[in-house]
Amino acid sequence: MSESVGTNDASNKPVKVNKWDTNAVKNALDDACKKYFKETLNYTEFYTLMDRRLYISFVACLFSLFALVYDWLNPFPKSRLVLIICAAAYFVLMGILTFYMQFIERGKFYTGKLVDKAGLGPGSRCTIASKLKKYDDKYCLTLKYNEGKDDSMTSSGAFIRSVGNYFDENGVLCYNRIVADLKTIYDQARSNARKVK
Amino acid sequence: MHWSRKLISRLLRYAIVISTLLMLWKSLILATNCSQPILVVLSGGYSFHNLGDLLFVTNYPADSIRAGDVVVFRIEGRFIPIVHRVIRVHEREDGYVKFLTKGDGNSVDDRGLYSVGQLWLEREQIVGKVKGYFPYLGLFIILLSNLPLLDRLLLRVVT
């Protein structure tokens, strides 16, 4: 995966990616969204979703490491039972991980919370998910907005636009454009949520 | 996102790839009941196998080893297993078996290769029976094993 020339939070260096690399393009767009939420809207990011995925992977790797070490110390016929248990556990965990990534995580790359500045009302929560197919140019961004104690006010917004709208010929990201689109659906979702109330 | 989370995420991604390959290999070991299910022939001339052939070995207990079978066996104290043909089998009524092997290209049997005083191979010394082979594929492994550090790793995994 190629790395984009990083933007420090302080500086405003333009982000340049290999425009033909789908992964890099998606990451650049996702990072721009995160940046907008962090800096402009002052949301704090929550990593629970990602952390759970990391924990599952970590436990799976522990099993495989244990199998490796045990088999090294007690060559095959002796380590048979341990190998069976570890291999079974590992593949089960891989299944769980795939299930988690496919159905629970589902392209969500940002979960943020906004605490009400006045400290009066409950804060709002926002989850953004994005999808960009491998050789496709259509970037689908979905935003889910929750406000209120039990997510009493919820609404979502989405847009599907070509990545060509956000990058110039050299692969430099036009931050303002993605932020403009993001802002539109965010404001829309916010006002919809309030209307439902 | 904190840099440590990014780093852990990346490391875990690589670790998962390596772990999956490792666990697939261990599963193959379990499936074939053999500690070395895939072997690379390091020296040519025995049992019609040439240098660089990839051998597929299984070790099912119900699969009896008969004279004429090509087996992989390991002598005590030697690290690299040998692939030769079984030419004689002695079986006792209680199920105890012992074997004599000989390389096809050799004019004498393997007694000279066995440990001092050993005249027959025990069943435990036999790693498995060769079920099939794939020519030339192992040449890449042999090339890699010529690199100074990799050969230690490879000899352990695929001898």
Side-chain angles (χ1 to χ4, degrees):
Chain A
M1 211 159 37
S2 61
E3 272 298 309
S4 52
V5 171
T7 49
N8 297 326
D9 287 344
S11 80
N12 279 318
K13 258 194 295 196
V15 175
K16 184 172 182 223
V17 296
N18 175 7
K19 64 183 176 182
W20 301 115
D21 182 349
T22 322
N23 257 333
V25 163
K26 180 180 183 301
N27 286 333
L29 288 169
D30 292 349
D31 287 342
C33 296
K34 283 199 253 188
K35 185 170 171 210
Y36 174 68
F37 267 79
K38 183 173 177 189
E39 291 176 3
T40 320
L41 297 176
N42 288 319
Y43 270 71
T44 29
E45 190 171 356
F46 270 69
Y47 300 106
T48 6
L49 209 63
M50 185 182 186
D51 282 351
R52 278 195 209 128
R53 170 166 50 95
L54 291 181
Y55 283 135
I56 299 176
S57 315
F58 183 63
V59 172
C61 288
L62 280 182
F63 269 108
S64 102
L65 191 67
F66 181 72
L68 181 68
V69 170
Y70 195 90
D71 189 58
W72 181 275
L73 296 173
N74 309 302
F76 173 57
K78 283 181 245 161
S79 63
R80 193 197 172 91
L81 187 64
V82 169
L83 277 187
I84 291 178
I85 296 174
C86 286
Y90 183 82
F91 288 119
V92 163
L93 279 167
M94 283 294 110
I96 295 176
L97 184 70
T98 315
F99 176 82
Y100 183 83
M101 286 176 71
Q102 193 80 351
F103 296 109
I104 302 182
E105 219 180 346
R106 270 178 162 226
K108 289 184 200 145
F109 63 87
Y110 183 83
T111 310
K113 270 199 178 112
L114 183 65
V115 176
D116 195 2
K117 277 214 188 89
L120 292 171
S124 53
R125 240 180 43 221
C126 203
T127 312
I128 333 178
S130 76
K131 200 156 80 166
L132 179 63
K133 286 202 202 121
K134 187 122 204 238
Y135 297 112
D136 200 2
D137 70 328
K138 294 284 177 289
Y139 180 69
C140 319
L141 192 106
T142 321
L143 185 145
K144 216 165 89 168
Y145 179 81
N146 295 318
E147 202 172 324
K149 260 195 205 127
D150 319 306
D151 302 337
S152 46
M153 300 179 276
T154 321
S155 80
S156 62
F159 67 78
I160 303 179
R161 298 196 69 190
S162 165
V163 293
N165 288 313
Y166 306 118
F167 289 89
D168 71 7
E169 272 158 17
N170 298 320
V172 177
L173 173 70
C174 304
Y175 183 70
N176 300 320
R177 287 178 155 224
I178 176 78
V179 159
D181 284 339
L182 191 62
K183 188 174 188 316
T184 321
I185 56 166
Y186 174 72
D187 291 337
Q188 211 171 19
R190 202 148 179 221
S191 59
N192 280 342
R194 297 219 161 123
K195 252 190 257 165
V196 166
K197 179 185 161 195
Chain B
M1 195 187 290
H2 200 243
W3 61 267
S4 63
R5 187 177 267 101
K6 260 200 193 140
L7 178 68
I8 292 177
S9 165
R10 188 174 287 170
L11 282 176
L12 274 176
R13 224 176 300 158
Y14 296 141
I16 289 278
V17 171
I18 297 175
S19 300
T20 307
L21 290 172
L22 183 73
M23 290 325 249
L24 284 172
W25 175 251
K26 298 291 179 206
S27 307
L28 188 65
I29 290 180
L30 287 170
T32 57
N33 196 41
C34 171
S35 59
Q36 306 265 43
I38 301 183
L39 284 164
V40 177
V41 176
L42 289 179
S43 40
Y46 312 124
S47 307
F48 63 80
H49 289 133
N50 299 311
L51 178 73
D53 284 353
L54 212 63
L55 301 175
F56 302 116
V57 187
T58 65
N59 191 24
Y60 303 123
D63 203 6
S64 52
I65 300 173
R66 301 220 170 85
D69 290 340
V70 178
V71 296
V72 181
F73 61 91
R74 199 181 257 134
I75 308 289
E76 295 225 8
R78 306 272 181 84
F79 187 55
I80 302 182
I82 305 173
V83 187
H84 281 172
R85 198 180 295 275
V86 172
I87 54 170
R88 264 197 228 164
V89 179
H90 273 304
E91 238 182 296
R92 268 213 308 249
E93 266 164 16
D94 60 4
Y96 174 74
V97 214
K98 54 186 186 179
F99 311 94
L100 178 64
T101 61
K102 175 180 163 302
D104 287 350
N106 295 346
S107 46
V108 293
D109 58 32
D110 288 344
R111 284 196 168 122
L113 291 173
Y114 299 167
S115 317
V116 177
Q118 182 184 10
L119 294 174
W120 300 90
L121 269 184
E122 308 287 322
R123 179 64 180 86
E124 294 75 41
Q125 290 176 293
I126 294 191
V127 170
K129 260 201 325 191
V130 175
K131 281 296 164 75
Y133 76 105
F134 201 106
Y136 307 124
L137 215 56
L139 283 171
F140 178 65
I141 309 268
I142 294 178
L143 277 173
L144 280 184
S145 74
N146 287 327
L147 294 171
L149 289 173
L150 271 182
D151 64 341
R152 281 178 177 275
L153 175 72
L154 282 173
L155 272 179
R156 180 68 178 87
V157 171
V158 176
T159 303

